[in-house]
Amino acid sequence: MEYESNSWIWDGLYYYPHFFGGLMLTAALLGVSTSYFGGIGVFSLPHLWSDCFHKKKCGKKKRVRVYMDGCFDLMHYGHANALRQAKALGDELVVGVVSDEEIIANKGPPVLSMEERLALVSGLKWVDEVIANAPYAITEQFMNRLFNEHKIDYIIHGDDPCLLPDGTDAYALAKKVGRYKQIKRTEGVSSTDIVGRILSSMEDTKACEDHNNASLPRDPLRAIQSKDAHLSQFLPTSRRIVQFSNCKGPGPNARVVYIDGAFDLFHAGHVESLFVPALAYSLVLIQILKKARQLGDFLLVGIYTDQIVSEHRGSYHPIMHLHERSLSVLACRYVDEVIIGAPWEVTKDMITTFNICLVVHGTVSETNTPLTGQSDPYEVAKSMGIFQLLESPKSITTTSVAQRIIANHEAYMKRNAKKAVSEKKYYEQKMFVSGD
């Protein structure tokens, strides 16, 4: 009882050590015993301190909710890194996915539908909530809806300017009311850049076929130069990989599930059943990853080297290089760990090293069969009885995504040309921006 009656003193020492120490020192200098404060001599003081500290201990800190929007068309690791940075500025991240109509009006036709883009964004590990059909510009009406209905504290965007067709800032209102925060743009990648790589790949492939049909000698140097012109400008660092990683290994009794592929142009199909060995980055990946993760406690994803992808799909693939593909997969909420540069064959030693309990593979792919003379890459897993086929929920693949782009070739070429001008201007005026 004595301890309880004087608990406010200990609370004071814990929560306000400097203030309480000064109070005790003053009391000592005045010759007042500290025991006096625990008695009835100063009746109101214990109650005052007790109420104050009780509120301090029991008061729940308000969770900061931040909002970030985007088109998220052809989702890539740049989008993922932007969302990662946004989440770091608050406790809960709400993401607005711009409607198809708004994208068409402001940028041109999107490659992926609203449903596909929602699936991609929802599959990222940093996203807590998603708002469909968000406006391209932050209007006063929508901003009030964010603040009042969704309880948003801050609106986030990258340091690169986002201008409307009339040249005004899409985030001017959020800045005006002091509810805007900025993150650093991820250099070396953009949807415009990826569309350019796809268009270039398809054009070069067609040129190669035309040469073969005409029986004309093909200049290998020209092919190399053409491919080099569209190489990724991304500069991978160990820090970026750590930022995307969960930094946790499987428990001693965890059921480790393994799935492999190229995961080029990560798409929603990858997320729910993680692998479309097709080496695709569209909608099927997210769904496959989700299915694979549900089969165990820890999902390990093997990502093929650029060389393996090229051998199985052609010299103009992959569209995204190994480190880009690795970050894209690591961003998925269903993935626990990746092998950067996984072998084509799943060996007995590999199964033992990673304590793999189950090896899975999707039913929809663009390269399900090994090259001539190669053995079945899953032969060992099958012989051990730990192999399982996963029914891919969607038939979308990298090729089908590319075909959409080709179908709207002129529109995308026009859009890319316009974006290329604005990006060139951005880099010419670029200054260092702190952040990660």
Side-chain angles (χ1 to χ4, degrees):
M1 293 297 293
E2 180 65 23
Y3 173 79
E4 292 179 357
S5 66
N6 293 317
S7 64
W8 62 274
I9 297 179
W10 304 109
D11 286 343
L13 288 171
Y14 183 82
Y15 289 106
Y16 298 92
H18 295 93
F19 179 83
F20 205 83
L23 182 63
M24 292 296 100
L25 179 61
T26 301
L29 291 174
L30 293 174
V32 181
S33 170
T34 55
S35 64
Y36 176 75
F37 288 90
I40 60 173
V42 186
F43 179 76
S44 61
L45 188 59
H47 294 281
L48 176 65
W49 278 92
S50 178
D51 289 345
C52 176
F53 296 138
H54 180 73
K55 291 178 182 178
K56 176 74 176 179
K57 288 194 297 180
C58 298
K60 188 176 181 180
K61 181 183 175 183
K62 179 184 181 298
R63 293 181 65 78
V64 176
R65 287 169 62 83
V66 296
Y67 171 83
M68 186 172 190
D69 58 17
C71 301
F72 304 108
D73 197 22
L74 287 183
M75 179 74 74
H76 51 70
Y77 64 89
H79 290 130
N81 191 47
L83 296 175
R84 180 193 65 80
Q85 292 181 77
K87 178 64 178 282
L89 295 177
D91 301 302
E92 297 172 0
L93 174 60
V94 181
V95 180
V97 180
V98 177
S99 69
D100 294 345
E101 294 75 20
E102 290 270 297
I103 297 175
I104 292 171
N106 290 278
K107 301 181 69 172
V111 178
L112 301 180
S113 69
M114 169 58 72
E115 178 192 1
E116 292 167 338
R117 292 184 287 118
L118 284 174
L120 283 170
V121 173
S122 300
L124 297 184
K125 64 173 71 174
W126 302 286
V127 177
D128 297 296
E129 296 176 26
V130 179
I131 299 175
N133 297 308
Y136 189 80
I138 301 293
T139 62
E140 185 172 1
Q141 180 182 5
F142 184 70
M143 185 171 68
N144 289 333
R145 178 185 162 196
L146 290 177
F147 295 158
N148 300 323
E149 183 179 332
H150 297 282
K151 308 301 180 185
I152 298 300
D153 295 290
Y154 297 101
I155 294 171
I156 317 293
H157 187 63
D159 63 293
D160 53 320
C162 182
L163 303 179
L164 300 174
D166 62 2
T168 58
D169 186 351
Y171 296 90
L173 285 176
K175 294 176 180 178
K176 185 178 179 180
V177 298
R179 304 279 285 273
Y180 175 85
K181 287 191 176 184
Q182 183 173 280
I183 58 171
K184 188 173 182 178
R185 168 177 167 154
T186 303
E187 305 294 355
V189 67
S190 67
S191 296
T192 303
D193 168 49
I194 291 174
V195 170
R197 294 190 215 178
I198 293 174
L199 290 171
S200 173
S201 171
M202 300 297 281
E203 288 172 356
D204 291 339
T205 301
K206 185 177 184 302
C208 178
E209 291 173 351
D210 290 343
H211 274 285
N212 292 336
N213 294 336
S215 299
L216 295 174
R218 186 161 181 263
D219 184 357
L221 179 60
R222 181 179 177 182
I224 294 172
Q225 290 174 337
S226 177
K227 184 177 180 180
D228 288 347
H230 296 277
L231 285 177
S232 166
Q233 302 303 310
F234 174 58
L235 300 176
T237 63
S238 58
R239 184 163 178 262
R240 179 71 77 227
I241 293 175
V242 170
Q243 289 171 334
F244 274 55
S245 173
N246 290 344
C247 298
K248 292 180 181 179
N253 300 313
R255 180 175 169 80
V256 179
V257 178
Y258 178 75
I259 191 168
D260 58 8
F263 305 103
D264 195 19
L265 282 186
F266 198 74
H267 51 68
H270 286 130
V271 176
E272 283 199 6
S273 91
L274 186 38
F275 175 57
V276 182
L279 324 170
Y281 176 62
S282 54
L283 210 36
V284 183
L285 260 189
I286 290 183
Q287 297 163 345
I288 281 206
L289 289 170
K290 182 178 181 180
K291 276 192 171 184
R293 182 63 175 78
Q294 290 171 342
L295 296 174
D297 309 305
F298 190 91
L299 182 58
L300 175 65
V301 182
I303 303 172
Y304 295 150
T305 63
D306 294 347
Q307 181 180 350
I308 289 177
V309 179
S310 293
E311 287 176 354
H312 288 263
R313 294 216 54 213
S315 60
Y316 296 102
H317 295 277
I319 291 169
M320 302 179 77
H321 69 54
L322 178 60
H323 287 95
E324 293 177 304
R325 292 181 284 119
S326 298
L327 289 179
S328 295
V329 173
L330 276 172
C332 178
R333 67 171 70 250
Y334 308 115
V335 176
D336 295 293
E337 181 64 290
V338 301
I339 298 176
I340 303 175
W344 175 254
E345 291 187 34
V346 181
T347 64
K348 177 68 168 64
D349 179 70
M350 182 176 166
I351 291 172
T352 302
T353 299
F354 293 100
N355 195 29
I356 296 171
C357 301
L358 182 66
V359 176
V360 299
H361 184 74
T363 56
V364 174
S365 93
E366 297 174 48
T367 339
N368 256 342
T369 56
L371 297 176
T372 304
Q374 281 191 335
S375 59
D376 181 353
Y378 305 107
E379 182 179 351
V380 173
K382 289 176 180 178
S383 68
M384 296 174 64
I386 60 170
F387 178 81
Q388 181 176 332
L389 270 177
L390 286 182
E391 185 67 31
S392 299
K394 291 183 179 290
S395 59
I396 183 173
T397 61
T398 299
T399 296
S400 64
V401 171
Q403 286 171 347
R404 297 184 194 182
I405 295 173
I406 297 302
N408 292 284
H409 183 274
E410 290 187 11
Y412 289 124
M413 288 291 284
K414 184 178 180 180
R415 184 178 80 175
N416 268 31
K418 184 179 179 180
K419 286 287 292 182
V421 172
S422 62
E423 291 210 0
K424 181 180 179 182
K425 184 178 179 181
Y426 165 78
Y427 281 108
E428 287 175 348
Q429 301 174 351
K430 175 184 170 183
M431 298 178 66
F432 174 76
V433 178
S434 63
D436 57 359

